[in-house]
Amino acid sequence: MVKKSDLPFGSEFSPSQIELPRALELAHAHGGDWREFEKAVRATWFEGHNTTDYNRGKLANNTKLGMIAYGIIDRAANLTGFGYELFGVRADEDALYELLARHILLNLHGMTMVHCIQDMVAAGEIVNLTSLRDGLAARGIHYPSGGKHPSIMRLWLAKAGVFLGQRWLVDAHRIEEILGLGTDDFAALADLSNEQRAFLRALANTGSQEPQGANDIARLASATYGVKFPEKSLPKLVLNELEEAGYIRTTKTTSGRGAKPHKVTPTEKLITDVVDPLLEQIHGQTDPKLLALLRTPLPSILSELDSPDRYRAGLALEALAFKVMRIIDMTYVATRLRANQTGGAEVDLIFESTRLVFSRWQVQCKNTAKVSLDDVAKEVGLTHFLNSNVIIMLTTGEVGSEARRYANKIMTQSNIAIVMLDGSDLNTIGKEPTAIVRSFEREAHHAMKLKKLDLQGG
């Protein structure tokens, strides 16, 4: 039995062979009669081909099959619901190709292909149809041997700017624009103030559904987004309106002297309007089982690291890196080393940020007893290849003294920052996500001391 392709068939349904606006018009005119549709396609694009009538008919048939595979028409050549969306914007080619690209990325394993390519480029591998086929197979994506499926997808995505001049060079920021991701502006939150939006984003980033200190969330929002919150007027400026809008529930603590600090708990509305869109950012980029883990509390992920199933432990390790970096709202770019290749012992991920200035962060996450000097040295060597500014060493164990001394030396002699978070940090962050601010501030102050400028020197 022939295995069904996970990528859409696209032979002759390619921007190098047909014009999408015209193809949509032909489907609109001949929908319901696939034979007439094929005749029209043949007359429009293939009649002049130096081949037999049968082959010209085959080319037209392939175009129809490609449009079916891409979900644009049904087998009778009627426009589908998505086809009608494309038809409605056919006169605006920018909007047309952006709409198609979004569909490919989210619904046709396009993000899986893009993520695979990013992984290969980050690992220094040459990307071609042969190597890409192996890379996709490792991610559970199959298409027929010799098939042009990825090439056709790349050509359509290139029409929307997802791929740049070089054949397999991905523009990650263009993907964010197409998917409406990587910005602070969720449509549901458009009417809120900057402080209110930042507070909700920070609360959502913690991934916790338990009550948390409102002042702690405000500190996390300040550290992440640079928004200042007057502590005494936090309820009036932020909390009251967010509670009225249905995003949070607030309670006052009963212990302590003086003003009673508030606790805030996210509601189902916040999860629907903010948390789910945040997770949608990596839809199609990762193993579906990883997405399920990302919806679980951090302590549960930490417990999964002890699983005797190496694959599950590896997924948990990757989820750990995601969750920690998500708290400070970093944008995921790629995974360099799959944890199942290291028996669930380590995973390397790349994140970026464009807040105020661009920065690239490489994260080494280790489920081992100790981080060694060699572990840090490997990451330092990769910064030259990846153009990274920051190295994050996350470990469920401890950081060895030699590793710390080597990191100190590197930070003293270069502009690289190296952040060390050990098992104690992770356990604390698991119980109190906002504690990540204290951990990062500790590491930042340490780096600042090492990099102190001597302006008096000759």
Side-chain angles (χ1 to χ4, degrees):
M1 182 177 178
V2 178
K3 187 176 180 180
K4 183 180 178 182
S5 175
D6 295 306
L7 300 184
F9 172 84
S11 292
E12 282 66 62
F13 178 61
S14 158
S16 62
Q17 292 177 286
I18 63 106
E19 298 164 351
L20 183 56
R22 182 61 180 146
L24 293 167
E25 290 170 353
L26 295 179
H28 186 259
H30 301 288
D33 190 337
W34 64 266
R35 290 183 179 83
E36 286 301 313
F37 173 71
E38 283 191 17
K39 284 182 183 178
V41 169
R42 172 176 163 168
T44 304
W45 290 294
F46 303 115
E47 205 59 68
H49 276 227
N50 185 21
T51 185
T52 65
D53 284 345
Y54 171 80
N55 285 336
R56 285 193 287 270
K58 183 65 175 174
L59 295 174
N61 177 255
N62 282 344
T63 301
K64 181 194 73 176
L65 293 176
M67 293 180 72
I68 292 171
Y70 275 74
I72 298 171
I73 61 174
D74 61 22
R75 295 203 168 272
N78 292 301
L79 288 168
T80 62
F82 173 63
Y84 271 108
E85 289 184 53
L86 293 174
F87 181 77
V89 296
R90 68 191 186 282
D92 182 347
E93 291 204 352
D94 288 342
L96 174 67
Y97 294 124
E98 185 169 307
L99 183 59
L100 178 60
R102 179 180 174 83
H103 174 68
I104 291 171
L105 291 169
L106 293 181
N107 303 316
L108 300 178
H109 295 292
M111 278 307 301
T112 305
M113 184 181 82
V114 166
H115 180 53
C116 178
I117 292 167
Q118 289 175 313
D119 279 2
M120 294 171 68
V121 170
E125 299 176 21
I126 296 174
V127 182
N128 54 43
L129 285 177
T130 302
S131 61
L132 182 56
R133 179 181 173 79
D134 293 338
L136 287 170
R139 290 159 176 78
I141 300 298
H142 164 79
Y143 62 94
S145 177
K148 298 185 292 183
H149 302 52
S151 292
I152 303 300
M153 289 175 68
R154 179 187 62 79
L155 289 172
W156 285 119
L157 291 172
K159 295 287 283 186
V162 172
F163 287 92
L164 301 173
Q166 297 182 32
R167 194 173 183 190
W168 298 104
L169 183 60
V170 176
D171 185 343
H173 297 297
R174 179 59 182 144
I175 293 176
E176 290 179 358
E177 291 174 355
I178 291 171
L179 300 184
L181 306 173
T183 72
D184 292 337
D185 299 321
F186 288 87
L189 311 184
D191 295 331
L192 301 179
S193 69
N194 287 337
E195 293 84 358
Q196 291 163 351
R197 280 201 298 272
F199 187 93
L200 281 187
R201 285 293 302 272
L203 178 59
N205 289 341
T206 67
S208 174
Q209 297 185 35
E210 299 299 317
Q212 299 181 77
N215 291 341
D216 294 332
I217 298 298
R219 278 193 287 272
L220 176 60
S222 294
T224 305
Y225 303 112
V227 176
K228 292 188 176 180
F229 297 85
E231 192 168 319
K232 292 184 178 179
S233 55
L234 184 62
K236 180 180 178 181
L237 287 179
V238 176
L239 304 185
N240 294 343
E241 286 193 35
L242 293 182
E243 188 164 30
E244 287 177 13
Y247 287 115
I248 62 173
R249 292 188 298 274
T250 65
T251 55
K252 271 194 172 184
T253 57
T254 56
S255 61
R257 298 167 59 184
K260 303 297 188 293
H262 286 77
K263 293 277 188 179
V264 292
T265 307
T267 64
E268 192 63 38
K269 184 177 181 182
L270 177 64
I271 293 169
T272 300
D273 288 358
V274 180
V275 176
D276 287 344
L278 286 172
L279 289 177
E280 184 68 19
Q281 293 189 17
I282 56 170
H283 173 76
Q285 290 182 272
T286 59
D287 190 314
K289 293 178 182 176
L290 176 61
L291 284 176
L293 272 175
L294 292 177
R295 295 180 181 275
T296 63
L298 194 53
S300 298
I301 292 174
L302 289 170
S303 67
E304 285 286 333
L305 295 172
D306 296 326
S307 172
D309 183 336
R310 289 184 174 185
Y311 170 72
R312 187 158 186 81
L315 277 181
L317 193 65
E318 192 169 354
L320 172 62
F322 266 107
K323 291 283 274 193
V324 170
M325 300 305 287
R326 181 72 264 164
I327 295 173
I328 55 172
D329 201 15
M330 300 298 291
T331 301
Y332 170 67
V333 176
T335 301
R336 290 194 289 112
L337 180 62
R338 290 288 170 181
N340 59 359
Q341 296 175 273
T342 62
E346 66 180 54
V347 64
D348 291 284
L349 300 101
I350 301 170
F351 292 82
E352 292 178 350
S353 174
T354 54
R355 291 194 294 275
L356 297 182
V357 296
F358 173 79
S359 60
R360 178 170 293 145
W361 302 39
Q362 59 188 73
V363 181
Q364 160 78 185
C365 199
K366 296 185 71 66
N367 188 18
T368 53
K370 183 178 288 187
V371 171
S372 69
L373 184 154
D374 287 344
D375 294 325
V376 181
K378 182 189 78 169
E379 295 301 312
V380 171
L382 285 168
T383 60
H384 303 290
F385 173 67
L386 297 172
N387 293 320
S388 304
N389 313 89
V390 183
I391 297 170
I392 308 289
M393 301 296 298
L394 291 178
T395 177
T396 55
E398 61 181 31
V399 179
S401 57
E402 288 187 354
R404 284 198 180 274
R405 283 195 293 271
Y406 177 73
N408 290 345
K409 181 179 179 182
I410 293 299
M411 286 194 284
T412 302
Q413 297 176 349
S414 73
N415 64 348
I416 297 171
I418 303 176
V419 176
M420 304 280 201
L421 300 183
D422 61 18
S424 176
D425 289 313
L426 294 178
N427 286 326
T428 301
I429 294 167
K431 297 171 186 174
E432 183 189 347
T434 56
I436 195 172
V437 174
R438 297 196 296 270
S439 296
F440 270 83
E441 285 179 344
R442 177 196 71 212
E443 296 295 302
H445 289 149
H446 176 64
M448 186 170 66
K449 288 179 182 177
L450 293 172
K451 296 173 180 289
K452 187 175 181 179
L453 287 175
D454 180 7
L455 299 179
Q456 304 303 316

